[in-house]
Amino acid sequence: LPAPVNTSAFDRNPLITPDGLSLFITGFGRGKGKGGSVIGFTRTERDKDFGSPKFVDAPLNHDVPNVPDWISPDGRVMLITEMSTPPFESKLYTRRTKQDPFGEGQSLRAPFKPTRPWISPDGNRLYFHARGIEGSNGEIDIWMSKRIPVKAE
């Protein structure tokens, strides 16, 4: 991709929204934060170039490199892996509308810490790799967890 997406900085982990109009990356060396920052780019049409970078605001970005793993079809939920010290922590960040900032993250840690998770399009399955889970076949295995609906009381 042309500038401003690709620069002399160390950029990786592209995540594009289902509508193709927003792109998120982990950008290292772009002058914000101690680690890699999640940076967003937008465009008005799929066949246009992406516009200027916009750092995603805290609390999503902070002192550790963050990897954008998944975004909901409506752009209101983002799944991030915080790449600090293994085992890495994955968090869900939500916002009211696609234009609003993301709120505090919800950790996906118990009873395991999924790494580089991905949520199925229907939102009912979580796929991830992890180590040390009872029943593993190797050091690191691929897992799938089904969503269990919680009934309101």
Side-chain angles (χ1 to χ4, degrees):
L1 295 172
V5 175
N6 282 315
T7 67
S8 61
F10 181 62
D11 299 323
R12 57 192 277 182
N13 308 313
L15 173 67
I16 194 156
T17 55
D19 64 9
L21 300 180
S22 296
L23 170 69
F24 296 92
I25 65 168
T26 303
F28 293 87
R30 289 206 184 209
K32 191 161 186 168
K34 295 179 183 176
S37 297
V38 177
I39 302 169
F41 302 86
T42 59
R43 60 186 175 186
T44 56
E45 298 175 35
R46 287 183 144 199
D47 60 347
K48 303 282 184 187
D49 288 339
F50 287 100
S52 298
K54 180 179 185 299
F55 287 91
V56 177
D57 295 327
L60 197 142
N61 271 328
H62 44 34
D63 292 343
V64 300
N66 290 310
V67 176
D69 288 309
W70 176 85
I71 193 160
S72 62
D74 62 7
R76 294 177 40 229
V77 180
M78 186 179 287
L79 186 59
I80 295 287
T81 298
E82 295 182 347
M83 306 294 282
S84 54
T85 305
F88 303 124
E89 187 168 11
S90 297
K91 291 184 177 181
L92 279 174
Y93 290 86
T94 60
R95 57 187 175 181
R96 292 170 66 83
T97 71
K98 193 174 178 179
Q99 291 71 37
D100 288 333
F102 286 96
E104 292 293 325
Q106 176 184 357
S107 180
L108 300 179
R109 65 177 104 184
F112 49 81
K113 281 194 171 187
T115 301
R116 300 303 313 273
W118 181 82
I119 298 173
S120 63
D122 65 6
N124 290 321
R125 298 209 175 10
L126 175 72
Y127 295 87
F128 59 96
H129 71 262
R131 67 177 72 204
I133 297 177
E134 186 177 330
S136 292
N137 293 315
E139 182 181 345
I140 298 176
D141 286 327
I142 306 298
W143 295 86
M144 183 271 298
S145 178
K146 293 180 183 175
R147 180 178 184 193
I148 300 172
V150 177
K151 293 182 181 180
E153 294 183 29

